[in-house]
Amino acid sequence: MASDYDNQLIESVAVRRNRLLTALLYGGNPNERRWADTVKLFLFSVAVAALIAAVCVGYSFVTNLLEQNRAKQQQQQSTAAGPLIDGGSAAGAAGGSPVTKHTSVTEHTIIDHLSHETGAWQPWRMPTHG
């Protein structure tokens, strides 16, 4: 009978230690623990979904902005390329043959640095003479 009491005592101490360990790791009330875990998982899922949506919207915004800038540059280049080739309208009106003006690479770079609205040098593109 004494060994039965000892076994019972050892078993109750082991059960108590197990309960204390789970209470320390997961909290005291197992029902509350399940509810809190579910809410934490739901909030984490909502946060991850919001982050993914924000990344998608940001990527879409940046690609749209870059595409608009690219289209604007192509439009500006097409309008700037028009005056580079002279159809010879003045020469044709004077009775001569139409002459095509050939521009060199340096003229292209100079024209690219001029403002399209005013035809003046842009402040950050001022040529330096030295």
Side-chain angles (χ1 to χ4, degrees):
M1 188 151 231
S3 69
D4 195 28
Y5 176 73
D6 291 340
N7 285 338
Q8 203 176 24
L9 183 64
I10 291 172
E11 190 175 318
S12 68
V13 168
V15 167
R16 182 165 173 81
R17 282 185 182 168
N18 247 352
R19 286 182 182 167
L20 284 172
L21 180 63
T22 56
L24 178 68
L25 292 177
Y26 303 112
N29 188 356
N31 292 330
E32 183 183 327
R33 183 178 352 134
R34 274 189 243 126
W35 180 79
D37 288 345
T38 306
V39 169
K40 285 180 186 175
L41 182 63
F42 175 72
L43 291 177
F44 180 73
S45 300
V46 168
V48 168
L51 180 67
I52 290 172
V55 167
C56 290
V57 168
Y59 177 77
S60 174
F61 176 75
V62 168
T63 55
N64 188 23
L65 189 65
L66 291 175
E67 186 62 35
Q68 286 177 353
N69 284 343
R70 188 177 302 122
K72 185 185 278 188
Q73 285 178 351
Q74 287 177 351
Q75 182 184 13
Q76 287 177 352
Q77 286 177 355
S78 68
T79 58
L84 289 181
I85 299 176
D86 185 12
S89 58
S97 66
V99 178
T100 304
K101 179 182 176 185
H102 297 284
T103 57
S104 66
V105 175
T106 56
E107 287 176 314
H108 282 292
T109 55
I110 289 172
I111 290 173
D112 289 340
H113 295 304
L114 295 178
S115 171
H116 296 290
E117 293 84 20
T118 62
W121 286 97
Q122 297 171 351
W124 62 87
R125 299 280 188 184
M126 292 297 287
T128 56
H129 301 286

